[in-house]
Structures are given as C-alpha cells and as structure tokens.
C-alpha cells in the first residue's frame, strides 16, 4: 500500500487541532511557526513568541505585511485583536513564570524517554541556536515536538538515545511527524495516529525504539487545504 507523507503545513495543521480553547501556546522556530494559521476559527488560542509577541496571528495577507512584526523564526506574522508587543525580557518572564500551557518546538532528535535535542548538531557550518528552547523546555507545562520523522539521509530522528547535545531530558510528551502522531508515555512510545497507507511495520523501520499502537489508535485524515 502506498502513502503520502504530510507536508510541513499539514504537520502544523494536525498539531493545531489538538490545542484546546483558551490555551497559551509558544511557537518555536521551524514547523511550529506555521501552526497559528491553522487553529479552527471558532477556537481562541493565544500564541506567544519569545521575541516579544503575545496574541500572534497567522501569516499576513499579500499587501498587509508589517516588516517590524515577526515571529521567533524571523518570519512575518500578524497580531490578533487585543494582541500586543512586549519587551523581550517580559516574554521570558511569561516562560519562566510557568504561564504557558504548551510549547510547540522543532527538534533534531527525540529519545524514547522524551529527551529533546534541538539546539545544535555540532556541525561547524550551522552555528548553534539555543534561543529560548532551554527555558521553554522547563517553563511550559507541556512540550510537543513537530518534526520530520527522518533526517535528510533517511535516518531515524526518534532515537533510543539522542546523539546530539540535549536541550532538556524527559520533557517531550507528544511528537507530530510527517507520518504519525506519537505519545511518549511511561509504557513506551504509543502511536496515536498514522497517515493513510502507513503500517506500524513500515513506521517501525524508520524509528529506533519500539512502537506500540495506542488503545485509541486511528488513521489520520490530513486536510487538503494545508498545502
């Protein structure tokens, strides 16, 4: 059976559907920054950016860009009604004060125990980017990772043990990839959803730790509109 991996936008869409009404959510660099554009219009989710934005909206429409309003990845963004700019230090006070319900982060690797490695690959061509990830990993109430399932060489990014320096140990609770949604639990990695056509055997071949189907497992239905 054939399968079509999710695009980066579809990964962001899938993660956005799980954000509850009234949640305060930080969006990290990479795929997570796309998430604000895919929250259902009937649901209020307050997005936070470490560079000093509270109430961040989706990407601007053509002709409505404001070059002074960017997200943590330096992409142009918008403010929702009531949104505001804050001092960089205040943005980190929100993080360190435990005021964020979720932080959606990108990652280079995640271990079977939920260890997070997302700040350096120790490649001299790509300087490390710690940013606010270490603060977010301990300050947000829950960490969820959005990433592609394998690296550019096809090697697993969900590992027995991270090979890159850790950002934080045991913090990741859920992983969204282009193939599946996986929960990190005391019983191991539980596959909550897989894209149509994907099998547990095939997913396992791209994942180091053992995978199990979650009790409420279901096939994922990605939207056509999230290109």
């Amino acid at each position: 059976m054939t399968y079509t991996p999710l695009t980066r936008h579809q990964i962001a869409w899938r993660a956005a559907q799980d954000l509850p009404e009234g949640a305060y959510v930080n969006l990290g660099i990479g795929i997570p920054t796309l998430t604000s554009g895919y929250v259902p219009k009937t649901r209020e989710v307050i997005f936070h950016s470490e560079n000093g934005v509270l109430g961040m909206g989706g990407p601007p429409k053509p002709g409505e860009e404001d070059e002074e309003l960017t997200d943590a990845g330096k992409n142009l963004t918008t403010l929702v009604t009531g949104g505001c700019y804050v001092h960089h230090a205040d943005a980190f006070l929100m993080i360190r004060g435990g005021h964020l319900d979720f932080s959606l982060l990108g990652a280079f690797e995640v271990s079977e125990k939920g260890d997070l490695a997302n700040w350096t690959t120790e490649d001299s061509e790509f300087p490390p980017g710690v940013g606010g990830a270490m603060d977010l990993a301990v300050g947000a109430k829950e960490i969820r990772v959005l990433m592609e399932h394998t690296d550019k060489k096809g090697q697993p990014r969900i590992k027995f043990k991270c090979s890159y320096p850790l950002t934080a140990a045991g913090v990741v609770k859920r992983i969204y990839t282009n193939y599946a949604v996986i929960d990190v639990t005391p019983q191991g990695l539980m596959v909550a959803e897989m894209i149509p056509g994907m099998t547990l055997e095939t997913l396992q071949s791209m994942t180091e730790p053992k995978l199990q189907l979650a009790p409420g497992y279901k096939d994922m239905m990605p939207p056509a509109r999230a290109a």
Side-chain angles (χ1 to χ4, degrees):
M1 185 178 294
T2 60
Y3 57 85
T4 302
L6 300 186
T7 65
R8 291 165 63 88
H9 281 267
Q10 287 175 324
I11 297 172
W13 179 91
R14 179 61 194 84
Q17 307 317 298
D18 288 341
L19 297 174
E21 173 75 24
Y24 282 78
V25 183
N26 170 272
L27 298 181
I29 295 171
I31 300 174
T33 58
L34 303 173
T35 308
S36 60
Y38 293 114
V39 173
K41 295 186 182 301
T42 57
R43 191 182 307 170
E44 182 181 33
V45 176
I46 301 90
F47 287 107
H48 167 278
S49 186
E50 68 187 59
N51 56 313
V53 186
L54 187 65
M56 187 167 59
K61 296 178 181 178
E64 298 181 4
E65 298 89 346
D66 182 345
E67 294 185 358
E68 294 185 351
L69 182 54
T70 63
D71 60 27
K74 300 181 180 179
N75 306 297
L76 295 178
T77 189
T78 59
L79 284 177
V80 299
T81 301
C84 61
Y85 301 92
V86 300
H87 192 282
H88 188 60
D90 292 327
F92 272 81
L93 283 173
M94 295 176 199
I95 297 170
R96 295 170 183 172
H99 302 293
L100 297 176
D101 297 302
F102 301 94
S103 181
L104 307 185
L105 297 174
F108 297 125
E109 294 175 341
V110 177
S111 81
E112 63 180 332
K113 302 296 184 182
D115 301 335
L116 172 67
N118 79 339
W119 71 277
T120 182
T121 60
E122 299 186 310
D123 187 334
S124 59
E125 295 185 10
F126 299 95
V130 177
M134 292 181 178
D135 294 88
L136 288 161
V138 297
K141 295 172 185 174
E142 183 170 325
I143 301 298
R144 297 177 177 178
V145 162
L146 285 66
M147 67 178 189
E148 294 182 341
H149 205 93
T150 59
D151 63 21
K152 293 180 180 179
K153 297 180 180 179
Q155 297 303 305
R157 299 176 74 176
I158 302 176
K159 316 274 283 186
F160 289 118
K161 181 178 179 180
C162 293
S163 61
Y164 297 135
L166 293 187
T167 305
V171 297
V172 178
K173 301 303 182 186
R174 172 164 273 205
I175 307 167
Y176 298 90
T177 80
N178 47 339
Y179 298 128
V181 177
I182 301 171
D183 290 320
V184 182
T185 78
Q187 293 74 41
L189 297 180
M190 296 289 183
V191 181
E193 298 179 18
M194 288 187 291
I195 59 174
M198 175 61 68
T199 65
L200 185 62
E201 181 181 16
T202 301
L203 190 67
Q204 184 66 72
S205 71
M206 297 182 284
T207 311
E208 282 189 357
K210 179 178 174 57
L211 299 173
Q212 306 171 64
L213 288 181
Y217 169 80
K218 60 182 180 180
D219 283 344
M220 188 190 304
M221 295 300 292
R225 71 180 181 88

